[in-house]
Amino acid sequence: MPNGQPRHPVVKQLNVAVLGTGRLAETHVAALAAMRDAGGIELDGQRVAIEPTLYGRDAHKVRSLAERFSVRRVSQRLEEFLEASDVDVVDNCLVNALHYKPLMHAISNGKHVFSEKPLTIDLAEAAQLLAAARSAGVQHGVIQNMRFNAGPRKAHELLRAGYVGRIFSTDVIFGYMVPQTVLNRPTWFYKLAEAGGGVVEDMMAHFFDLLRTLIGPIDAVYAATGIAWTERREPDGTPFRVEVEDLASVTVRFQNGAIGNCFASWVRGKREEVPEFQIDGEDGSLVFSFNKLRAIKHRTAPLFRFDARQVQAESLDDWQAIDVEVGRDPFGLQLELWLKGVAHGAPTRGLPTWEDAVINQRLIKAAYRSAAERREVALAEIEVDVTPPAVVTRV
């Protein structure tokens, strides 16, 4: 209820420290500010106030972002929020390479911890963070917004209801053109030290997570990767060396026998709402994107016979458009559900946790090993050291 009184009395306040001032940090701040302006979140008939705070290294960027979303408390000193007694949650939206130390420091100070994906760029560090969070008894979450977009949420509902029956296969296609002079995404995504990897690191963390949620556990992957331009340019024309892949195809083998393929590219002509997913089963099929979903039952679909001499009729009209609940910010929806768990004192069931993040990171490592060795790599081959560090390193 913006600018008004909450419908129920406020019984608690959660102060959430957002780390970073980039595009994703802005997304998180916007979601938290919307909760604040609505009078907080409702929990068991009462209200929990949400108050975002903001850390960033650049004073101008911090001030600009804070002013846009009326964030009252800001700092350029990271430790101020990681150690503050009145900060309840640390939400890390820094670049991939700056996840581990701030999160570990936050855990050592008893903060509940949330992070953009990937949890870290190093699998052993991700496992150590999980072990430390478990040991400290703090709640942990990782952003997986695709689970909370309208199309995937409706697909999940239909799959649980058995709409397609036994699942045979799935396809994911994602991509758009990033020119050689990089104008439409941050250039750090092409630099190994900051990003940890290329389009596999960036997008398969989403796809593996969503497909595991919709279809089931993934047993093995086979990957092929490529680099379109070995040299790119900053927006001002300064050249830099590309150190990571910008297109990849990853074949997935599921535990239930289904197979799939995930294609992702930063050098592709976009023609549809991306990403686009298709799931085919014994009884039916689903095609969906973030905000649209179509479904078809095989028993009522026209029977197709392939004849390369004939012009094929478009078949989209044979698919039924299914209404989906658009309009909810998927980042905000996940954050709200996760914060309800923090306020309640017990995690909200069914949300992505650091257990999921570690599995996704193991699959990413399997994909990179597959590309390097040109063979299928099983998840079981990717072992991980779950021993937490003896001493928490200060940032």
Side-chain angles (χ1 to χ4, degrees):
M1 183 174 299
N3 303 318
Q5 296 298 315
R7 290 169 293 178
H8 301 289
V10 173
V11 296
K12 188 173 185 178
Q13 177 168 308
L14 292 178
N15 295 317
V16 183
V18 177
L19 310 184
T21 55
R23 174 175 54 91
L24 290 172
E26 179 180 338
T27 301
H28 288 229
V29 170
L32 293 165
M35 293 181 221
R36 177 201 61 203
D37 295 343
I41 56 178
E42 189 169 337
L43 184 69
D44 300 329
Q46 298 176 314
R47 304 296 290 186
V48 176
I50 303 297
E51 190 63 40
T53 62
L54 181 63
Y55 158 79
R57 292 175 294 183
D58 186 305
H60 172 72
K61 290 180 180 179
V62 171
R63 183 170 57 253
S64 175
L65 185 57
E67 288 175 354
R68 273 187 290 145
F69 294 99
S70 301
V71 177
R72 291 181 283 272
R73 182 178 173 187
V74 301
S75 179
Q76 290 176 260
R77 290 185 60 252
L78 183 53
E79 293 84 354
E80 181 177 335
F81 286 150
L82 299 181
E83 299 174 1
S85 60
D86 61 340
V87 168
D88 304 289
V89 172
V90 169
D91 179 4
N92 193 334
C93 298
L94 298 169
V95 299
N96 297 352
L98 298 179
H99 284 191
Y100 176 74
K101 287 186 178 181
L103 288 172
M104 190 64 80
H105 195 161
I107 292 168
S108 73
N109 283 277
K111 312 302 181 191
H112 301 287
V113 277
F114 198 85
S115 179
E116 266 293 334
K117 64 84 198 160
L119 182 54
T120 70
I121 61 176
D122 181 88
L123 178 57
E125 290 184 347
Q128 289 168 4
L129 282 170
L130 172 58
R134 284 172 170 168
S135 178
V138 299
Q139 293 193 38
H140 46 88
V142 61
I143 227 24
Q144 284 295 352
N145 54 286
M146 290 189 186
R147 289 200 202 184
F148 299 90
N149 283 95
R153 280 193 289 125
K154 188 63 177 181
H156 187 263
E157 178 185 322
L158 292 174
L159 291 169
R160 296 290 79 77
Y163 186 95
V164 308
R166 181 165 58 97
I167 296 174
F168 294 146
S169 64
T170 183
D171 289 286
V172 183
I173 188 165
F174 167 87
Y176 56 94
M177 178 57 65
V178 180
Q180 191 169 8
T181 298
V182 181
L183 301 173
N184 52 341
R185 67 181 296 108
T187 56
W188 66 261
F189 278 97
Y190 296 91
K191 300 169 184 178
L192 184 61
E194 294 176 84
V199 74
V200 170
E201 182 82 34
D202 187 47
M203 294 310 302
M204 297 304 158
H206 282 305
F207 300 153
F208 292 154
D209 182 82
L210 183 59
L211 295 180
R212 288 173 50 243
T213 303
L214 296 180
I215 298 173
I218 295 171
D219 273 351
V221 297
Y222 185 96
T225 63
I227 298 176
W229 288 294
T230 56
E231 183 178 278
R232 284 180 175 269
R233 294 180 290 271
E234 301 281 356
D236 66 3
T238 303
F240 66 91
R241 180 171 168 265
V242 174
E243 301 172 310
V244 297
E245 76 287 348
D246 54 9
L247 66 158
S249 179
V250 182
T251 300
V252 175
R253 190 180 302 279
F254 293 91
Q255 194 175 94
N256 61 12
I259 61 171
N261 185 65
C262 305
F263 179 78
S265 170
W266 291 328
V267 286
R268 172 181 177 266
K270 176 186 176 301
R271 59 173 175 78
E272 68 290 297
E273 184 183 41
V274 295
E276 185 176 78
F277 304 84
Q278 180 160 334
I279 297 177
D280 296 295
E282 191 168 19
D283 300 326
S285 297
L286 305 176
V287 171
F288 57 96
S289 57
F290 284 165
N291 299 295
K292 298 176 184 178
L293 186 146
R294 287 182 175 269
I296 194 169
K297 283 290 190 181
H298 299 323
R299 67 175 182 272
T300 59
L303 187 64
F304 173 73
R305 298 181 186 278
F306 180 73
D307 187 339
R309 301 168 299 172
Q310 301 297 319
V311 176
Q312 295 179 23
E314 295 289 339
S315 60
L316 191 60
D317 290 341
D318 299 326
W319 293 66
Q320 177 187 1
I322 305 292
D323 289 336
V324 298
E325 183 188 355
V326 297
R328 285 298 306 269
D329 169 17
F331 292 85
L333 177 57
Q334 182 183 347
L335 277 166
E336 180 178 333
L337 292 171
W338 188 79
L339 288 171
K340 283 186 177 182
V342 171
H344 190 261
T348 304
R349 295 182 62 183
L351 300 186
T353 67
W354 287 2
E355 284 95 344
D356 294 298
V358 169
I359 292 172
N360 295 334
Q361 197 69 19
R362 288 173 64 203
L363 288 165
I364 288 169
K365 188 170 182 178
Y368 280 123
R369 182 179 295 182
S370 171
E373 299 179 4
R374 299 192 177 189
R375 66 177 180 89
E376 183 176 271
V377 175
L379 177 62
E381 295 181 52
I382 308 300
E383 298 179 351
V384 58
D385 178 11
V386 297
T387 305
V391 178
V392 176
T393 305
R394 291 176 62 87
V395 294

